[in-house]
């Protein structure tokens, strides 16, 4: 467009020059024509004058009178036409004056002839001065005419040059315009082809993406920037119970409702969280989705924003999967570990009971074989004490293993002491020092069986890692919403390469005991309750050993975290 505008400007300028030169040529021709007309009128007037003087016939005065009446207007027009040329204007002024003088001589001779003074009239006509005036007028006329013809020649040449330049310019600009139109056509054609190809590729990608999303094993929901559903794949339709026709255009919270798997408390929709925060929502492994039939399905989900090149959120993609089978497998693994723990506990209890039973057997034998009733009574009293000890161990074990599906309020110190009492024989046999740094007034509302299993697994692992004469340190502290406790030992420590795997299922470094599920169960139980666990360990130096730090949230009757201290 810029080039065409320049070409148009150049063409306009050349055409304007051509028109201006043509006007100058036309003006010069008008000047020449007016000059010749004026001379013709002057000649006609002088011819009428001479005819009258020679014949005295008044009819010769008719052309004279007409000429005299017209010649003044032509002289004025000559002055007007040459006004823009100073030199030519001066020549025309001189020539006009000479014409007026010749006309004055003619009027004078005619007047003398009319008065009957014929001789005087002829004398004036033939006077040398009159002839000189005529010659001067003729010379000035020739000079003016010569100048105008020269101007005509120059202006005609300029006009022809302008015509050639205009033709060349027009030809060049026309060719340029044609070339640019062709180039524009080629560019547009290429652009249209590129757009058609891009549209085809987009259509193919959309078809491929649609096929991929519908074929993927996970459920996928895509929304717009306002959280309204735009797409569901087949798996999402199956899990939510809504078809695409029913779901598209609906708020995602109507189609995808989530709650806490353990407490059943409502959770924020991950799509709404992404739109609110403008970034990927952290995945949750304790969420449950409420489908159309109001059935809760345990799921793993993740949500991420869909952004354009400028970073603006265009929508959200939500991916989730049903983990019901995984939960069943995890529950089966927990039960297996629980049975294994029960077996270990049974062995420990059997060892604890065996000693007093052996003592009872010996005391009864001594009482039966004793000759003195008083000594026999002493033996029986001692046997009764040992049996009371066995009964106490049995009652303590039953209380320790009692489990409830409902949260109960527990005193943390009491629960820890009960767990330690189960492993008292191992503590004594390995001469392990137990340091207790916890207060008696901290209570927590939680599931007793799960807390027993958590504490039991951690303390058992610490005992396995300790050498003879080792040390265990137990600490508890009340925190907002729950209790934090730590179990620290000065055992062999955990190598750095194993720290990242110790909470994996079936991972163990023990070759003779253990299933590799103990720490996995601990983390799983804490995750299910919304708690956390971390580990610190060193394998060398004065601070060698391992420390597990766990946070257990307290649950009120609605499942919310709470903590209370009792005096």
């Amino acid at each position: 467009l810029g080039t065409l505008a320049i070409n148009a400007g150049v063409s306009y300028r050349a055409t304007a020059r051509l028109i201006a030169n043509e006007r100058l040529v036309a003006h010069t021709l008008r000047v020449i024509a007016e000059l010749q007309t004026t001379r013709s009128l002057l000649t006609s007037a002088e011819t009428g004058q001479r005819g009258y003087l020679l014949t005295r016939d008044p009819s010769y005065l008719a052309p004279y009178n007409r000429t005299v009446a017209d010649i003044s207007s032509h002289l004025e027009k000559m002055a007007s036409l040459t006004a823009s040329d100073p030199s030519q204007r001066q020549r025309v002024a001189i020539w006009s004056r000479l014409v007026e003088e010749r006309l004055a001589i003619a009027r004078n001779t005619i007047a003398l002839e009319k008065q009957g003074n014929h001789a005087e009239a002829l004398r004036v006509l033939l006077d040398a001065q009159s002839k000189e005036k005529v010659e001067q007028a003729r010379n000035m006329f020739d000079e003016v005419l010569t100048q105008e013809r020269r101007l005509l020649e120059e202006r005609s040449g300029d006009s022809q040059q302008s015509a050639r330049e205009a033709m060349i310019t027009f030809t060049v600009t026309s060719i340029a315009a044609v070339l640019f139109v062709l180039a524009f056509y080629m560019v547009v054609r290429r652009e249209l082809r590129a757009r058609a190809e891009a549209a085809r590729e987009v259509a193919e990608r959309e078809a491929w993406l649609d096929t991929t999303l519908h074929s993927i094993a996970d459920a996928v929901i895509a929304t717009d920037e306002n959280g309204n559903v735009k797409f569901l794949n087949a798996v999402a339709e199956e899990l939510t119970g809504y078809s695409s026709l029913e779901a598209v255009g609906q708020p995602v919270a109507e189609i995808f409702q989530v709650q806490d798997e353990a407490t059943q408390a409502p959770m924020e929709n991950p799509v709404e969280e992404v739109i609110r925060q403008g970034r990927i929502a952290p995945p949750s492994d304790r969420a449950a989705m409420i489908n159309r039939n109001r059935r809760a399905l345990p799921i793993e989900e993740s949500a991420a924003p869909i952004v354009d090149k400028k970073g603006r959120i265009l929508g959200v993609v939500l991916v989730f999967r049903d983990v019901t089978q995984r939960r069943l497998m995890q529950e089966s693994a927990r039960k297996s570990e629980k049975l294994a723990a029960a077996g270990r506990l049974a062995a420990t209890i059997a060892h604890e009971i065996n000693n007093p039973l052996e003592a009872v057997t010996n005391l009864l034998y001594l009482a039966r074989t004793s000759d003195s009733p008083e000594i026999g009574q002493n033996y029986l009293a001692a046997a009764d004490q040992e049996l009371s000890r066995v009964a106490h161990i049995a009652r303590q074990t039953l209380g320790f293993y009692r489990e409830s599906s409902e949260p109960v309020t527990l005193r943390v110190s009491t629960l820890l002491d009960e767990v330690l009492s189960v492993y008292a024989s191992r503590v004594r046999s390995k001469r392990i020092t137990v340091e207790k740094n916890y207060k008696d007034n901290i209570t927590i509302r939680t599931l007793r069986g799960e807390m027993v299993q958590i504490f039991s697994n951690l303390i058992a692992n610490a005992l396995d890692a300790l050498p003879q004469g080792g040390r265990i340190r137990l600490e508890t502290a009340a925190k907002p919403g729950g209790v934090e406790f730590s179990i620290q030992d000065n055992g062999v420590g955990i190598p750095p390469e194993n720290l990242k795997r110790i909470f994996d299922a079936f991972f163990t470094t023990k070759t003779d005991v253990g299933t590799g599920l103990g720490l996995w169960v601990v983390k799983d139980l804490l995750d299910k309750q919304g708690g956390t666990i971390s580990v610190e360990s060193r394998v060398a130096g004065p601070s060698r050993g391992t420390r597990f730090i766990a946070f257990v949230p307290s649950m009120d009757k609605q499942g919310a975290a709470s903590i209370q201290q009792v005096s």
Side-chain angles (χ1 to χ4, degrees):
L1 289 176
T3 304
L4 291 177
I6 293 173
N7 290 339
V10 173
S11 298
Y12 174 80
R13 182 178 178 185
T15 304
R17 287 182 58 192
L18 175 61
I19 293 173
N21 288 331
E22 287 294 330
R23 286 177 179 174
L24 291 176
V25 170
H27 179 78
T28 303
L29 291 174
R30 287 181 61 192
V31 172
I32 293 174
E34 195 65 36
L35 187 61
Q36 290 177 341
T37 300
T38 304
R39 187 180 66 172
S40 176
L41 291 173
L42 182 59
T43 301
S44 177
E46 289 178 342
T47 301
Q49 171 207 5
R50 288 188 180 93
Y52 175 70
L53 292 178
L54 293 176
T55 64
R56 296 185 182 88
D57 184 358
S59 62
Y60 283 100
L61 292 178
Y64 169 79
N65 292 329
R66 288 195 302 270
T67 300
V68 170
D70 294 338
I71 199 167
S72 296
S73 62
H74 286 284
L75 289 175
E76 291 175 0
K77 188 176 292 185
M78 279 290 301
S80 175
L81 291 173
T82 58
S84 59
D85 188 347
S87 60
Q88 196 72 335
R89 182 176 68 242
Q90 184 178 3
R91 294 188 188 97
V92 169
I94 295 172
W95 183 67
S96 297
R97 180 174 55 79
L98 292 175
V99 169
E100 291 291 344
E101 290 178 355
R102 288 178 62 182
L103 290 176
I105 293 173
R107 284 194 298 271
N108 188 22
T109 57
I110 292 173
L112 290 173
E113 184 65 35
K114 287 182 178 181
Q115 293 173 3
N117 195 352
H118 180 70
E120 182 63 21
L122 290 176
R123 188 190 65 76
V124 173
L125 178 62
L126 299 175
D127 186 62
Q129 189 176 3
S130 298
K131 292 180 178 180
E132 184 180 355
K133 296 291 185 183
V134 172
E135 186 65 26
Q136 288 178 354
R138 183 181 295 112
N139 292 337
M140 185 55 65
F141 171 81
D142 292 339
E143 188 174 343
V144 172
L145 183 60
T146 301
Q147 179 64 19
E148 288 298 327
R149 285 177 175 171
R150 186 181 62 80
L151 288 174
L152 177 62
E153 183 178 355
E154 292 177 357
R155 290 171 177 176
S156 297
D158 291 342
S159 180
Q160 293 175 1
Q161 179 65 25
S162 298
R164 287 192 295 270
E165 292 179 356
M167 180 59 68
I168 294 173
T169 303
F170 175 77
T171 302
V172 172
T173 54
S174 298
I175 293 174
V178 170
L179 291 177
F180 271 97
V181 168
L182 289 175
F184 179 73
Y185 168 75
M186 296 301 294
V187 170
V188 170
R189 185 180 180 186
R190 184 174 60 187
E191 181 68 17
L192 290 176
R193 286 182 176 177
R195 290 188 180 184
E197 182 66 19
R200 184 185 62 81
E201 292 179 356
V202 169
E204 290 179 354
R205 285 198 297 269
E206 288 181 349
W208 177 84
L209 180 62
D210 185 74
T211 301
T212 301
L213 292 178
H214 276 93
S215 303
I216 196 171
D218 292 337
V220 179
I221 297 178
T223 73
D224 59 17
E225 67 277 11
N226 297 318
N228 297 322
V229 177
K230 295 185 66 177
F231 171 84
L232 280 83
N233 70 349
V235 180
E237 291 179 341
E238 180 182 356
L239 293 182
T240 61
Y242 292 91
S243 66
S244 294
L245 292 177
E246 294 172 321
V248 171
Q250 298 295 322
V252 69
E254 298 292 331
I255 307 301
F256 184 82
Q257 301 179 27
V258 286
Q259 66 181 23
D260 189 281
E261 182 182 359
T263 66
Q264 298 182 353
M267 297 176 62
E268 182 180 13
N269 193 288
V271 172
E272 297 174 349
E273 183 178 357
V274 170
I275 294 175
R276 177 173 54 82
Q277 297 183 352
R279 56 183 176 83
I280 297 175
S284 173
D285 57 358
R286 56 189 182 90
M289 181 196 70
I290 308 300
N291 64 10
R292 189 172 189 172
N293 298 323
R294 308 309 299 171
R295 177 189 172 195
L297 299 177
I299 61 170
E300 286 184 351
E301 47 81 11
S302 62
I306 304 172
V307 297
D308 60 12
K309 294 181 179 179
K310 296 182 180 179
R312 295 176 299 187
I313 295 180
L314 303 179
V316 178
V317 59
L318 171 67
V319 180
F320 59 98
R321 64 172 61 93
D322 183 4
V323 293
T324 301
Q325 294 300 321
R326 183 185 300 180
R327 290 290 187 269
L328 293 175
M329 294 174 61
Q330 290 174 345
E331 183 63 26
S332 176
R334 281 194 293 269
K335 290 181 178 179
S336 297
E337 171 60 19
K338 196 169 186 178
L339 289 175
R344 293 193 295 270
L345 181 63
T348 301
I349 294 172
H351 179 75
E352 291 290 329
I353 293 177
N354 182 61
N355 291 333
L357 287 179
E358 287 182 353
V360 169
T361 301
N362 294 330
L363 289 170
L364 290 176
Y365 172 78
L366 293 175
R368 187 171 59 250
T369 58
S370 176
D371 296 332
S372 172
E374 184 178 353
I375 295 175
Q377 289 293 327
N378 291 335
Y379 286 146
L380 291 175
D384 183 65
Q385 291 180 355
E386 292 296 326
L387 288 174
S388 297
R389 179 183 169 192
V390 170
H392 173 73
I393 294 174
R395 287 193 301 271
Q396 189 179 43
T397 303
L398 290 174
F400 170 75
Y401 202 67
R402 188 183 302 116
E403 186 174 358
S404 174
S405 60
E406 294 295 329
V408 295
T409 301
L410 303 173
R411 191 183 296 267
V412 177
S413 59
T414 301
L415 188 63
L416 285 172
D417 287 340
E418 289 179 359
V419 175
L420 284 172
S421 66
V422 174
Y423 296 100
S425 61
R426 291 184 62 187
V427 170
R428 290 193 301 271
S429 64
K430 297 182 73 171
R431 299 191 304 280
I432 293 173
T433 301
V434 179
E435 299 178 1
K436 301 178 182 179
N437 186 22
Y438 44 77
K439 299 178 181 178
D440 292 338
N441 62 346
I442 298 178
T443 64
I444 186 172
R445 184 174 179 81
T446 185
L447 299 174
R448 187 181 190 281
E450 293 186 356
M451 290 301 300
V452 167
Q453 191 166 7
I454 291 171
F455 290 148
S456 177
N457 286 358
L458 291 176
I459 291 175
N461 279 349
L463 293 175
D464 290 340
L466 285 172
Q468 290 287 333
R471 184 182 71 253
I472 294 180
R473 180 179 178 85
L474 303 178
E475 295 182 356
T476 61
K479 298 291 182 180
V483 175
E484 181 182 89
F485 66 90
S486 71
I487 299 177
Q488 183 175 2
D489 64 66
N490 62 346
V492 296
I494 303 173
E497 62 271 15
N498 293 337
L499 277 177
K500 295 181 179 180
R501 302 182 59 193
I502 60 173
F503 295 112
D504 293 347
F506 303 108
F507 175 77
T508 181
T509 58
K510 302 174 184 177
T511 58
D512 51 349
V513 295
T515 62
L517 292 174
L519 291 177
W520 173 80
V521 168
V522 169
K523 187 175 187 307
D524 184 66
L525 293 176
L526 287 172
D527 288 344
K528 188 172 67 173
Q529 296 184 32
T532 60
I533 186 169
S534 60
V535 60
E536 303 170 353
S537 186
R538 292 180 179 273
V539 295
S543 59
R544 186 184 71 171
T546 302
R547 182 188 183 198
F548 285 92
I549 305 170
F551 173 77
V552 181
S554 183
M555 295 179 290
D556 60 17
K557 294 183 181 180
Q558 288 74 34
S562 65
I563 182 68
Q564 53 181 316
Q565 293 190 12
V566 296
S567 58

